[in-house]
Amino acid sequence: DVKVTQSSRYLVKRTGEKVFLECVQDMDHENMFWYRQDPGLGLRLIYFSYDVKMKEKGDIPEGYSVSREKKERFSLILESASTNQTSMYLCASRHHVRRGANYGYTFGSGTRLTVV
Amino acid sequence: KQEVTQIPAALSVPEGENLVLNCSFTDSAIYNLQWFRQDPGKGLTSLLLIQSSQREQTSGRLNASLDKSSGRSTLYIAASQPGDSATYLCAVGGATNKLIFGTGTLLAVQP
């Protein structure tokens, strides 16, 4: 069964801490994504990566960075956590769009981050 | 800018009913549309993926249709069960390689 695995289901961190959220996929997907989900705001794209060492800003990149050193792993980094980054974080992956083939997204089970 | 809307925002039905969830999008230049299910506090589970060239997809009791020209998709659930209770999200994919999500429909199926 193909999977996107997020290393933590729940995290509690203090304001100012550096936080790492890890995501691993076993489907050899080129593209990986980080979203956050908040009540009333839906899912918003933070960053995505279309290949190793490549990254693109999404709609709300401020306060975040990412790392993609290996194809299967995409890390989201909160440089200095703040209370407004308390949220559900969702990782997703998919194959890159190819001629005649558009692929669906596979999501992980989410990380509920609370910053106190 | 692509916007995706889902109606209704919430729906409560008795077990056994057939029901339809609606999704509309403003820009018809999409590559595909995907329906997801999300249980409380959990991640998203993909239900159906419809390519822009397709009119519908079926999986078990679920049937999703796509009318790209009018910017609409529907998710039909036959013979609903309490286990179908969840939030249902539609999302459109386009040339930007981003997935744009709707606001979701919270479904409650009463036993």
Side-chain angles (χ1 to χ4, degrees):
Chain A
D1 194 17
V2 293
K3 275 187 181 175
V4 175
T5 302
Q6 294 183 231
S7 54
S8 303
R9 288 296 309 278
Y10 301 96
L11 276 178
V12 180
K13 297 292 182 180
R14 294 193 180 278
T15 301
E17 273 194 75
K18 190 169 186 175
V19 181
F20 293 85
L21 302 184
E22 306 288 347
C23 176
V24 176
Q25 50 94 5
D26 63 1
M27 297 166 281
D28 201 36
H29 285 171
E30 295 86 359
N31 300 164
M32 297 188 74
F33 306 81
W34 275 106
Y35 287 84
R36 65 177 282 177
Q37 185 178 30
D38 301 285
L41 297 175
L43 281 95
R44 295 178 290 168
L45 181 64
I46 305 171
Y47 266 97
F48 67 99
S49 168
Y50 49 88
D51 205 346
V52 176
K53 296 192 184 295
M54 308 299 282
K55 61 185 179 184
E56 291 281 343
K57 292 180 180 179
D59 300 317
I60 51 163
E62 297 78 19
Y64 302 95
S65 62
V66 290
S67 172
R68 183 120 182 251
E69 296 298 318
K70 293 184 178 181
K71 191 176 185 180
E72 67 271 19
R73 185 180 296 269
F74 191 36
S75 302
L76 179 69
I77 304 158
L78 286 65
E79 297 291 343
S80 177
S82 64
T83 54
N84 63 13
Q85 292 178 308
T86 292
S87 185
M88 168 71 98
Y89 290 86
L90 292 161
C91 175
S93 71
R94 62 173 275 183
H95 279 303
H96 194 66
V97 174
R98 296 183 175 89
R99 181 178 299 183
N102 294 294
Y103 299 93
Y105 289 66
T106 301
F107 277 80
S109 55
T111 296
R112 171 72 64 182
L113 173 67
T114 302
V115 183
V116 297
Chain B
K1 180 185 173 183
Q2 178 74 271
E3 293 183 0
V4 182
T5 305
Q6 291 184 246
I7 295 174
L11 181 64
S12 181
V13 300
E15 181 177 4
E17 268 203 14
N18 303 324
L19 58 101
V20 174
L21 307 181
N22 296 291
C23 173
S24 61
F25 46 94
T26 55
D27 184 351
S28 62
I30 65 170
Y31 283 11
N32 53 37
L33 185 144
Q34 198 165 356
W35 282 93
F36 295 91
R37 168 190 172 133
Q38 186 176 31
D39 294 294
K42 302 286 182 64
L44 275 64
T45 300
S46 180
L47 298 173
L48 289 165
L49 171 68
I50 311 177
Q51 303 295 348
S52 62
S53 58
Q54 297 174 323
R55 298 285 291 184
E56 65 178 337
Q57 282 286 337
T58 298
S59 176
R61 293 182 295 108
L62 305 180
N63 175 275
S65 68
L66 175 63
D67 184 344
K68 212 173 74 157
S69 60
S70 68
R72 293 180 186 173
S73 176
T74 61
L75 179 66
Y76 174 82
I77 302 177
S80 58
Q81 304 169 357
D84 294 331
S85 298
T87 296
Y88 290 81
L89 294 157
C90 72
V92 298
T96 62
N97 201 27
K98 298 179 185 179
L99 203 58
I100 310 298
F101 282 87
T103 46
T105 293
L106 177 62
L107 173 65
V109 181
Q110 308 299 332

